[in-house]
DNA sequence: CTGAAAGCGCTTACAG
DNA sequence: CTGAAAGCGCTTACAG
């Protein structure tokens, strides 16, 4: 069933049906009503590749899956985020294409998809500050939204959450709980979220009324790398009485290191994580962590990108969503 | 740049370029070589929506994201699986579309995508035995591949792994380790993997030389539901000396229940999980579990589906991939 | 072996 | 307010 079939049934031309379906004016009241009824009755939808061919737009967006980037493999693109993104896109009549850029030479494929308008815009769920992709996309004029990194590239939209505030809140909690020797066991600073957490941590330290000793240590995401760092922490001279970790995995390693040397948590040392997923519920003790607004992030990214594509006056090209600290055993008051 | 531009440069007609690019014969040696050089030189690729319009095929496959299905939300579609699937599809020149079926009335959207040939085939990463979707897709003749469920619907392909063998192997390990009172704390039987695990468990029990007491209990995936069941187990009269759990989450709850009543693991009771992800590394004790071939599964699904789409003689419409038991502290010998 | 022509299903100036 | 016509970039019988 094509637009011409509908036209025939309505006794009009295909052009009129097209205008009606696209909400353009220049169609009489009665005609429009008749066509709309017919369309609804037959559940007719226009063929998207034909539309794409004549309009040069696809009504599809790409989510780029950056494989082999360890910082990302460790921080998997949460199903919740992707799911919400799809839902929002579909709600706006857009398809979602999943593209892999598993190596630099695959960038060409993505750029080609953009140039050929197989996609109207791109979401990068895990780009970093120095990601080539952002510039490449910008160069070909692709509407682009980055998740989890506050890009300064002109015209690029982003959605992020309050990593900094969450870190600050945790830090204040520790200080108010009487902890005076704090360590931020952060993830790699190449990840934007980790920089923000660092900023929040140090801001809270600075504004503290009490005198506290604070240090920051960087580790890779991997559990064993984190374990090594954590052991070093607990072997150090003035032992930290609170360790704020850059992820729940890191925090789990930290708990393990504490157990090894017989430190009680949270008695001797408080430990917190980040990225609250189910992991923190299963450690011993359970983990104080920070909940990310995953669904909201996915939804906001889709909406922002589509607004950019459709040239809507973008109220905000930059969205910051709130996080939530979840207190569990590992950081209860001493 | 269009096919006609290439034609002009080569001094031939567009038809000849098209035939060359699609590997059809009926093009002279020299002409073909000239065209191929030009295509490579300009990195020219044909516009896919134009191709789709004239061939009625899209060279895209859909991965259907079944939101709000709790059995699936609990078993998130692993990034590794999706990533491998995308890689394989792209390697074969196919795009991957992510479609959400968040409620029954969204099925129409998927069917429409198939009928309109926006996708040439569909992967269902988490369909169950009684899933309407499978039949709906079959009804419209969509090549379909299911992951993790051995569908008996005619013509439907599937990729699964040896849940049964893994469960049997764990069971034998327990018996050989001297355990004589085994419980399978399984996930919902509506999930195909759980049925297979049950089958493997009972097969191993049946073939055991020794006399063993065995029971099977079903639980939802959620941690708290599993905790309730696990407590019941340990309160029961002849206490199990080994509990095989249907997932790592369930196993973690089981560890917690054991701790509550002061049972040592693996001393008093061995506990095993399933679906080895990072969780099992962070429990106390660490968890014996079963590693799934996620990347291989994604890759196999893409390849199978594309073979079906292209009408290749499908050597196997059904693929069973091996699992691997990973032994850790929770099920060491007593 | 190669080309001219029609067609895939839409949209959009251009007329009226 | 509406229609005829051209065009989007390919593919594919049909001729030669």
């Amino acid at each position: 069933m094509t637009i011409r079939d509908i036209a025939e049934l309505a006794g009009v031309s295909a052009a009129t049906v097209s205008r009606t379906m696209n909400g353009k004016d220049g169609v009489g009241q009665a005609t429009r009503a008749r066509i709309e009824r017919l369309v609804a009755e037959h559940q007719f939808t226009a063929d998207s590749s034909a539309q794409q061919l004549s309009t040069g737009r696809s009504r599809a967006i790409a989510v780029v899956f950056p494989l082999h980037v360890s910082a990302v493999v460790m921080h998997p693109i949460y199903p919740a985020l992707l799911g919400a993104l799809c839902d929002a896109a579909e709600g706006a009549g857009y398809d979602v294409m999943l593209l892999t850029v598993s190596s630099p030479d695959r960038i060409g494929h993505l750029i080609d998809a953009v140039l050929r308008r197989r996609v109207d815009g791109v979401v990068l769920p895990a780009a970093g500050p120095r990601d080539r992709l952002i510039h490449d996309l910008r160069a070909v004029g692709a509407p682009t939204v980055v998740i989890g990194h506050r890009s300064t590239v002109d015209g690029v939209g982003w959605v992020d959450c309050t990593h900094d505030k969450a870190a600050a809140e945790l830090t204040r909690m520790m200080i108010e709980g009487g902890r005076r020797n704090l360590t931020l066991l952060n993830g790699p600073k190449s990840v934007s979220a980790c920089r923000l957490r660092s900023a929040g941590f140090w801001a809270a330290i600075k504004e503290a009324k009490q005198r506290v000793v604070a240090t920051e240590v960087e580790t890779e995401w991997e559990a064993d790398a984190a374990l090594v760092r954590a052991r070093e922490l607990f072997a150090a001279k003035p032992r930290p009485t609170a360790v704020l970790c850059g992820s729940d995995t890191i925090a789990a390693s930290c708990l393990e290191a504490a157990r090894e040397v017989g430190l009680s948590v949270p008695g001797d040392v408080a430990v917190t994580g980040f990225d609250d997923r189910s992991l923190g519920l299963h450690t011993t003790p359970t983990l104080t962590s920070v909940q990310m607004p995953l669904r909201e992030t996915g939804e906001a990214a889709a909406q922002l990108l589509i607004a950019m594509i459709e040239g809507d006056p973008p109220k905000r090209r930059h969205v910051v969503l709130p996080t939530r600290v979840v207190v569990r055993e590992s950081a209860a008051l001493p």
Side-chain angles (χ1 to χ4, degrees), chain A residues 42-100:
Chain A
H42 294 266
Q43 302 205 69
F44 174 75
T45 51
D47 182 291
S48 57
S49 56
Q51 281 185 117
Q52 177 172 354
L53 193 55
S54 60
T55 62
R57 297 205 18 218
S58 60
R59 290 195 78 83
I61 61 178
V63 172
V64 176
F65 219 63
L67 281 190
H68 308 315
V69 180
S70 92
V72 173
V73 173
M74 292 294 101
H75 268 243
I77 292 145
Y78 310 103
L81 194 156
L82 258 188
L85 197 154
C86 278
D87 264 353
E90 281 188 20
Y94 279 73
D95 282 324
V96 177
M97 192 125 265
L98 214 50
L99 291 177
T100 339

Side-chain angles (χ1 to χ4, degrees), chain A residues 197-231:
Chain A
R197 290 163 193 177
S198 177
F201 174 73
W202 289 108
I205 295 291
K206 229 137 269 169
E207 80 185 12
K209 300 285 187 296
Q210 300 80 355
R211 72 167 4 207
V212 297
V213 180
T215 52
E216 174 169 358
V217 175
E218 201 174 325
T219 175
E220 298 299 312
W221 297 115
E222 285 79 11
D224 42 1
L227 184 58
V228 172
R229 288 284 153 282
R231 281 177 183 146

Side-chain angles (χ1 to χ4, degrees), chain A residues 115-158:
Chain A
L115 288 176
R116 283 288 187 201
R117 283 299 199 159
R118 265 193 355 263
V119 295
D120 295 332
V122 177
V123 174
L124 299 176
R130 18 187 319 144
D131 211 311
R132 242 193 80 183
L133 225 45
I134 298 181
H135 294 95
D136 291 348
L137 287 168
R138 206 59 223 145
V140 296
T144 304
V145 168
V146 178
I147 292 178
H149 164 61
R150 307 184 180 188
S151 176
T152 54
V153 176
D154 189 49
V156 167
W158 51 253

Side-chain angles (χ1 to χ4, degrees), chain A residues 157-187:
Chain A
W158 51 253
V159 180
D160 198 13
C161 60
T162 52
H163 301 281
D164 44 358
K165 286 192 188 156
E169 188 178 336
L170 286 171
T171 307
R172 278 194 299 270
M173 267 180 50
M174 295 300 105
I175 296 174
E176 281 163 18
R179 318 271 178 184
R180 291 291 175 271
N181 194 330
L182 313 193
T183 297
L184 174 61
L185 182 51
N186 208 353

Side-chain angles (χ1 to χ4, degrees), chain A residues 15 67 81 88 126 128 147 227 248 259 274 282 310 330:
Chain A
L67 281 190
L81 194 156
I147 292 178
L227 184 58
D248 282 2
R259 202 177 305 124
F274 239 101
H282 296 297
E310 303 192 338
S330 72

Side-chain angles (χ1 to χ4, degrees), chain A residues 8-31:
Chain A
E8 201 156 333
L9 290 173
V12 296
S13 74
T16 301
V17 175
S18 170
R19 281 190 279 257
T20 303
M21 292 188 69
N22 293 306
K24 313 224 160 172
D25 48 29
V27 182
Q29 281 274 281
T31 317

Side-chain angles (χ1 to χ4, degrees), chain A residues 204-278:
Chain A
I205 295 291
K206 229 137 269 169
E207 80 185 12
K209 300 285 187 296
Q210 300 80 355
R211 72 167 4 207
V212 297
V213 180
T215 52
E216 174 169 358
V217 175
E218 201 174 325
T219 175
E220 298 299 312
W221 297 115
E222 285 79 11
D224 42 1
L227 184 58
V228 172
R229 288 284 153 282
R231 281 177 183 146
E232 289 169 5
L233 285 186
F234 292 136
K237 222 21 213 310
R239 195 167 40 62
T241 50
V243 182
L244 284 67
C245 302
S247 78
D248 282 2
T249 322
I250 295 176
S253 293
C254 193
L255 290 179
E256 190 173 340
R259 202 177 305 124
E260 287 175 358
V261 295
L263 291 174
S264 85
V265 178
D268 298 323
V269 56
V271 175
T272 68
F274 239 101
D275 287 351
D276 188 53
R277 282 179 286 161
S278 60

